[in-house]
């Protein structure tokens, strides 16, 4: 999966989590909300590689193969969440009260979708 797609999916997960939080704050007794695990599980299933391990591999060989194969996917996911967190933190730390977290995530989504020349400055995209 391309990094742009991973970032867009992470934005969706964070947006959905914020909406669930808002709904729960409005009605603490609410029980009909999905915890968002479906979107996270789907993203993990799509980014994690399928690994075939021969029956005769030792534990050390299995660990090496899994680490090598899964490492890139984990790095991709962490990079996407880090990018979103960094952008949210920058706005928060600057004290901008006229910009919501939803605004920041929407701006990030537009940047990712646009794919302009600014991407060279940001290796996470």
């Amino acid at each position: 999966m391309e990094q742009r797609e991973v970032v867009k999916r992470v934005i969706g997960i964070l947006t959905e989590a914020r909406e669930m939080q808002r709904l729960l704050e409005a009605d603490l007794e609410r029980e009909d909300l999905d915890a968002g695990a479906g979107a996270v599980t789907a993203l993990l299933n799509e980014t994690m590689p399928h690994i075939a391990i021969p029956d005769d591999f030792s534990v050390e060989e299995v660990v090496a193969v899994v680490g090598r194969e899964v490492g890139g996917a984990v790095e991709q996911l962490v990079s996407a969440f880090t990018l979103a967190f960094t952008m949210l933190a920058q706005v928060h730390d600057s004290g901008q009260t006229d910009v919501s977290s939803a605004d920041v995530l929407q701006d990030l989504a537009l940047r990712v979708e646009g794919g302009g020349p600014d991407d060279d400055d940001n290796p996470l995209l």
Side-chain angles (χ1 to χ4, degrees):
M1 182 180 293
E2 287 189 27
Q3 187 64 19
R4 288 180 190 287
E5 182 61 29
V6 173
V7 172
K8 288 191 284 187
R9 299 281 294 278
V10 164
I11 292 167
I13 289 167
L14 294 174
T15 301
E16 183 179 340
R18 176 62 185 114
E19 180 62 15
M20 284 189 296
Q21 178 188 7
R22 188 187 67 73
L23 291 171
L24 283 171
E25 287 172 353
D27 181 5
L28 293 177
E29 301 299 318
R30 191 173 190 136
E31 296 179 12
D32 64 332
L33 294 177
D34 178 14
V40 174
T41 300
L43 180 59
L44 287 172
N45 287 335
E46 291 177 32
T47 55
M48 292 296 151
H50 298 280
I51 305 168
I53 299 175
D55 294 336
D56 63 342
F57 266 30
S58 68
V59 172
E60 292 80 14
E61 290 171 315
V62 170
V63 169
V65 168
V66 170
R68 183 178 61 244
E69 296 296 321
V70 173
V74 170
E75 185 176 324
Q76 191 177 38
L77 290 169
V78 169
S79 293
F81 276 103
T82 300
L83 175 62
F85 171 81
T86 300
M87 291 190 71
L88 289 163
Q90 285 175 343
V91 171
H92 175 271
D93 292 350
S94 71
Q96 296 181 36
T97 58
D98 60 331
V99 179
S100 70
S101 59
D103 294 335
V104 174
L105 292 173
Q106 182 178 26
D107 179 60
L108 177 56
L110 291 172
R111 288 184 192 196
V112 170
E113 192 64 36
D118 294 338
D119 292 347
D120 294 338
D121 296 337
N122 193 342
L124 296 176
L125 299 179

